[in-house]
Amino acid sequence: MNLSPTQSITPNDFFPVTSDQSIGTKVRSRRPCDPCRRRKSRCEIADGSPPCLLCRFHRQNCTFNEEPQPRKRRATAPNEDDQPTIRTDVRNPPDMRYASPQSHESSKIRQDVPIDDYANLRGPSLLKKTLGLQQNRHSRFVGSTSVYEPTLLDLRNDEEADIAVGASVLRRVDTHDTAFILSPDSDTQNHQDDIQDLDAIETIVAPHGQALIHLYFRIVHPSFPVLHKKVYLEKYERTHREFSPPLLAAVYLLALNWWSYSSELALLPKPDVSRLEKLALKTMGNIVHRPKLSTIQAGLLLLQRPEGDSWALTSQLVGLGQDLGLHLDCTQWRVPSWERGLRKRLAWALFMQDKWGSLVHGRPSHVTLSDWEVQPLGEDDFPENAADEDDEDGSTEVEKGRTLFCEMIKLTELLANILSRFYTLRAEREAARRANEGVRWILEIAKPLQLALRQWFSSLPAVLKMENLAARKLSSTGYLHLGYYAVEMTLHRRILRYLSSVDDRGLRSICRQAAQVRLKSAMDFVSSLRPEHLQSFWYSASKYNFALVGTFISLLWATATTSEEADLYKKSLDEYRWVLRLSSKSADFLERAIGVMAASTGVLVKAIPENPDADRILGRALKQAESEATTTSGYIRHNSHVPSLAYRSESEMHEETSPENAVGETPSDSGAGGPSWNVEHTWFGTVGDVSAAFVGHDEGGMSDAYLGLDDAPIEFDYSQNS
């Protein structure tokens, strides 16, 4: 079957009707085609002649030219069944009937009955021994303080046997009594509406469901790998009714953003996005009563929509993730290896959503180090590789996306460190209380964080450099670099807010010029974005991070002590708005960033006086200290046993005995401008160094002269920060 780029494809083109006489049999070649062999995928030919199903999906030539490699046999682990499948359940074969068309919109969707239990599928399937993606059951982690006593579980000899508990079962997944209770979906709220909702979702996009899925895996998935591609395709081949309704809708919604990147869709009218969004949000509220891995996937994808940001949904997903045990180390669990990798990717995606959501909304984080055991991601946790890459113009590189995802996790850990040290309620109260000491103690805490940021940036793989662009490919590296500048500015916002008349004039100048260097680097980055960056997938926090640059300019403007400096930042804000307007013509989501900035910075800067009042600006932090002393004197007096919160936040207590963190100790109270404060030993260097760096800054604004540091490597354990 030959497919032209403009030919409309329906699900039946890929999943043909099977006659009753041939149920349970498939015609396939004596050997897999060359692309399937390279992918190490099962090669399925549904109609007796090439191309196979996967080659049709990837729009590749299905050839049989390469010589087969010698087969290497290995023993299969008893709990593994990792052979992918592209086949249907022969006990419940699809009849491929179409829905009775009650209207023009409801025509031509499949009516297959979904499989009841994946364990009963004939032939190999990735889903047979799944824990978190069962069709009609959902699982919840049994915590150590629940009514199910772990000691009693340990008395049972057969660790792998399920324990019947009424209509539910208890299942242990390792030798450490990690257990889940599996309950039927039928007992949960609105379960009976799932099929109707799935049909409604599929009807909205029909007959373009397959083309939209292809778009999603081409552009979004490589840079945000929270799905398992082969599992998703296996389920969709059988029927769209096997999915969680909001997950099916979320994949379609994200893919619709790149409608024009499909040669077969570009000239056709788009489906009704608003109807699809309403169904996605409605059904998301339904499925939280029966949490599965697909629930987390759906929520994460819905949060990536241009208007999808929601702290309430983020908070709910963190709780559901804990229900599913995503905060645990699943390395030794008796679940398929592909599910272990998926669980780890979803856990870290939740970690990122929580930390960036905390920054975006100014809310306390829900994920803490003391309840986080997820191991770092490795290459084996990602099922796709370069062989799975799509060659069509506008696609995203698979292995580049994998590296991007891992580096974003590391950057998020650094962000979490900064938030926990400077932006918790207790840390902010501590900073206000100690404002009379000047800013030097804040600089000492910030020093190791700045060093870690510098090391992370300098260690980025070459493939993630902004200038590393493949021909006719989209690149999502922009959201990583933008995130880096957002973290830098978040650190400097805390420093700028607490500069006061207590601090030496030279030190104040150093701090402000350091912030100016960061601002110039961020503005240069935004100006340098190319269409390959702007048209790609951007992480959900990016809209805020673009607006944060404007917020940072407004902070520098509001705290300027001279009219000349204030005019400089006023012009910088106008210039930045102009750059965003120009770039927004290539990226619709930047219009939303401009809107966010207009509703926040654009309104608040109107209150900045034309002639700066230096005394008021430099006295602001001291005034806060006086207010804090008045309102919390009793709290401080009766809680004197509480350690200095800025140095021992919850996420950093594991570092308190580390000798390399001695720089975080409180300096002597001799005064900010006294003899004991030598700016040559600060992480800023000298005023002259900062000026030189501002004139000739490197890509990250992180020159050695600027930091006043040697090249010794900085040890930073990314896996332990929260």
Side-chain angles (χ1 to χ4, degrees):
M1 172 176 145
N2 296 321
L3 300 175
S4 68
T6 59
Q7 180 180 344
S8 178
I9 303 172
T10 67
N12 285 347
D13 291 324
F14 289 88
F15 320 124
V17 178
T18 305
S19 65
D20 293 338
Q21 288 79 11
S22 60
I23 289 175
T25 64
K26 286 186 179 290
V27 180
R28 59 170 296 179
S29 61
R30 293 179 180 274
R31 45 155 290 189
C33 66
D34 299 333
C36 283
R37 174 179 285 121
R38 289 192 294 271
R39 284 190 293 261
K40 297 183 179 179
S41 299
R42 186 181 181 88
C43 185
E44 292 285 348
I45 299 179
D47 54 7
S49 61
C52 68
L53 293 178
L54 285 178
C55 285
R56 291 184 198 179
F57 181 83
H58 290 288
R59 288 158 172 80
Q60 293 177 316
N61 291 328
C62 191
T63 60
F64 295 83
N65 301 325
E66 298 176 6
E67 291 296 326
Q69 298 296 320
R71 178 172 296 180
K72 297 180 180 179
R73 299 186 178 275
R74 66 178 179 85
T76 303
N79 66 312
E80 300 286 344
D81 194 355
D82 287 348
Q83 292 298 318
T85 183
I86 306 292
R87 66 181 299 169
T88 57
D89 175 23
V90 296
R91 298 180 307 104
N92 295 296
D95 55 18
M96 305 307 289
R97 295 170 295 166
Y98 292 121
S100 300
Q102 299 174 356
S103 68
H104 176 70
E105 291 182 344
S106 63
S107 63
K108 294 188 177 180
I109 65 167
R110 294 175 290 170
Q111 301 292 307
D112 310 288
V113 178
I115 184 70
D116 181 65
D117 189 343
Y118 289 128
N120 297 328
L121 277 171
R122 293 187 183 180
S125 171
L126 289 168
L127 290 159
K128 280 192 172 180
K129 297 183 180 180
T130 180
L131 172 67
L133 282 175
Q134 294 198 25
Q135 180 64 12
N136 287 315
R137 290 196 298 182
H138 59 279
S139 59
R140 280 191 166 93
F141 170 61
V142 177
S144 59
T145 58
S146 74
V147 295
Y148 299 97
E149 173 55 48
T151 305
L152 299 179
L153 284 174
D154 194 44
L155 296 176
R156 298 186 66 92
N157 296 324
D158 190 352
E159 294 181 351
E160 298 190 28
D162 290 347
I163 305 169
V165 184
S168 304
V169 296
L170 272 171
R171 176 178 298 178
R172 285 187 289 181
V173 294
D174 62 13
T175 59
H176 303 293
D177 295 325
T178 304
F180 288 81
I181 185 162
L182 283 70
S183 305
D185 292 347
S186 57
D187 296 335
T188 61
Q189 183 176 330
N190 297 323
H191 173 255
Q192 69 279 2
D193 297 336
D194 279 1
I195 296 297
Q196 180 181 348
D197 290 333
L198 285 164
D199 285 352
I201 291 167
E202 191 71 7
T203 297
I204 291 173
V205 302
H208 309 305
Q210 182 68 43
L212 287 171
I213 291 171
H214 181 62
L215 259 182
Y216 174 86
F217 283 109
R218 274 179 52 203
I219 297 176
V220 179
H221 178 71
S223 302
F224 195 60
V226 296
L227 300 185
H228 192 290
K229 181 178 178 180
K230 292 177 182 176
V231 167
Y232 197 94
L233 296 182
E234 177 188 328
K235 294 171 73 171
Y236 190 80
E237 183 200 354
R238 283 190 292 265
T239 174
H240 63 274
R241 292 177 167 182
E242 282 191 26
F243 290 101
S244 161
L247 177 57
L248 184 67
V251 168
Y252 289 152
L253 282 169
L254 288 183
L256 283 167
N257 293 323
W258 286 272
W259 181 267
S260 62
Y261 274 77
S262 170
S263 56
E264 75 179 78
L265 298 177
L267 301 179
L268 300 174
K270 266 189 178 183
D272 190 334
V273 175
S274 62
R275 283 181 57 201
L276 200 56
E277 285 185 331
K278 288 178 181 178
L279 274 170
L281 297 176
K282 185 202 84 169
T283 56
M284 187 70 204
N286 290 342
I287 66 166
V288 296
H289 304 290
R290 42 187 179 279
K292 303 178 185 181
L293 297 182
S294 56
T295 311
I296 307 300
Q297 293 170 325
L300 288 171
L301 293 184
L302 289 174
L303 287 167
Q304 309 311 310
R305 293 175 302 130
E307 298 291 349
D309 187 38
S310 167
W311 180 242
L313 179 55
T314 300
S315 305
Q316 190 173 41
L317 289 179
V318 173
L320 293 171
Q322 292 168 346
D323 259 358
L324 294 165
L326 291 181
H327 58 296
L328 306 174
D329 179 7
C330 64
T331 306
Q332 302 300 322
W333 287 9
R334 290 185 290 269
V335 297
S337 61
W338 66 263
E339 184 173 334
R340 290 196 293 269
L342 177 61
R343 282 178 170 273
K344 289 173 67 176
R345 298 198 307 277
L346 285 175
W348 284 113
L350 267 183
F351 176 89
M352 291 193 291
Q353 201 69 44
D354 174 74
K355 299 304 179 182
W356 286 99
S358 177
L359 173 68
V360 168
H361 299 282
R363 302 287 186 266
S365 168
H366 297 296
V367 177
T368 58
L369 176 71
S370 56
D371 285 309
W372 188 257
E373 292 186 338
V374 185
Q375 297 302 302
L377 288 173
E379 187 174 339
D380 292 341
D381 296 316
F382 294 85
E384 289 93 32
N385 53 40
D388 295 286
E389 199 166 296
D390 201 296
D391 295 329
E392 191 171 347
D393 289 356
S395 299
T396 305
E397 299 168 90
V398 171
E399 293 192 352
K400 184 175 184 176
R402 177 178 65 198
T403 307
L404 170 63
F405 189 73
C406 291
E407 290 299 328
M408 188 64 174
I409 292 170
K410 294 179 182 179
L411 178 63
T412 305
E413 290 177 298
L414 290 169
L415 170 64
N417 221 336
I418 291 170
L419 294 177
S420 65
R421 286 186 179 233
F422 290 120
Y423 290 97
T424 64
L425 290 177
R426 289 186 175 182
E428 292 195 348
R429 177 171 290 175
E430 174 90 358
R433 183 174 63 84
R434 299 181 62 181
N436 287 318
E437 300 176 30
V439 78
R440 58 186 178 82
W441 67 276
I442 292 179
L443 296 180
E444 285 295 335
I445 302 173
K447 180 177 179 178
L449 300 174
Q450 181 66 49
L451 293 177
L453 271 171
R454 175 202 183 202
Q455 180 173 324
W456 174 86
F457 186 84
S458 63
S459 301
L460 278 179
V463 70
L464 295 183
K465 300 297 183 182
M466 290 298 293
E467 64 274 12
N468 190 311
L469 294 171
R472 300 186 303 280
K473 295 281 188 179
L474 297 179
S475 173
S476 290
T477 52
Y479 83 66
L480 178 70
H481 288 255
L482 178 63
Y484 164 71
Y485 291 116
V487 176
E488 282 269 3
M489 289 184 290
T490 299
L491 181 59
H492 280 266
R493 287 174 79 181
R494 171 55 67 210
I495 296 168
L496 290 173
R497 289 178 189 173
Y498 283 93
L499 290 175
S500 70
S501 57
V502 175
D503 299 303
D504 178 81
R505 182 187 300 271
L507 180 59
R508 294 202 304 267
S509 178
I510 288 173
C511 292
R512 291 189 62 81
Q513 290 186 54
Q516 188 181 33
V517 171
R518 266 59 176 189
L519 173 60
K520 188 176 190 306
S521 296
M523 292 181 65
D524 288 347
F525 161 78
V526 175
S527 299
S528 69
L529 290 171
R530 295 178 51 175
E532 294 93 329
H533 302 123
L534 293 170
Q535 291 283 306
S536 67
F537 168 77
W538 285 80
Y539 187 62
S540 60
S542 299
K543 176 177 65 175
Y544 167 85
N545 290 341
F546 276 110
L548 180 60
V549 179
T551 301
F552 194 59
I553 298 173
S554 69
L555 173 62
L556 286 164
W557 179 8
T559 54
T561 56
T562 66
S563 297
E564 293 78 9
E565 188 182 10
D567 288 341
L568 171 67
Y569 290 119
K570 181 179 180 181
K571 291 177 182 177
S572 296
L573 186 58
D574 291 337
E575 177 187 346
Y576 183 64
R577 286 197 190 105
W578 175 248
V579 170
L580 282 188
R581 286 195 188 100
L582 291 179
S583 300
S584 68
K585 303 306 178 184
S586 299
D588 291 341
F589 77 95
L590 284 181
E591 290 284 358
R592 296 174 177 87
I594 294 172
V596 170
M597 199 166 71
S600 55
T601 299
V603 173
L604 297 179
V605 294
K606 295 177 181 178
I608 299 178
E610 291 187 10
N611 298 313
D613 183 348
D615 292 337
R616 181 189 62 82
I617 293 169
L618 294 177
R620 179 178 177 274
L622 300 179
K623 186 177 180 180
Q624 285 184 332
E626 294 175 1
S627 175
E628 184 69 19
T630 302
T631 58
T632 63
S633 58
Y635 173 85
I636 295 171
R637 182 172 60 256
H638 295 297
N639 294 275
S640 58
H641 63 281
V642 178
S644 181
L645 297 169
Y647 302 108
R648 295 189 60 198
S649 61
E650 181 178 2
S651 65
E652 293 306 316
M653 291 180 69
H654 68 286
E655 294 181 346
E656 62 186 355
T657 58
S658 178
E660 63 265 27
N661 289 306
V663 293
E665 296 175 354
T666 308
S668 62
D669 295 330
S670 56
S676 65
W677 182 249
N678 185 349
V679 297
E680 291 291 336
H681 295 294
T682 72
W683 61 290
F684 289 112
T686 65
V687 176
D689 290 336
V690 175
S691 299
F694 181 70
V695 174
H697 69 283
D698 58 7
E699 180 178 356
M702 301 286 289
S703 63
D704 288 340
Y706 174 60
L707 287 169
L709 302 166
D710 57 27
D711 292 325
I714 309 301
E715 295 296 330
F716 194 82
D717 187 356
Y718 292 114
S719 66
Q720 295 300 313
N721 290 293
S722 66

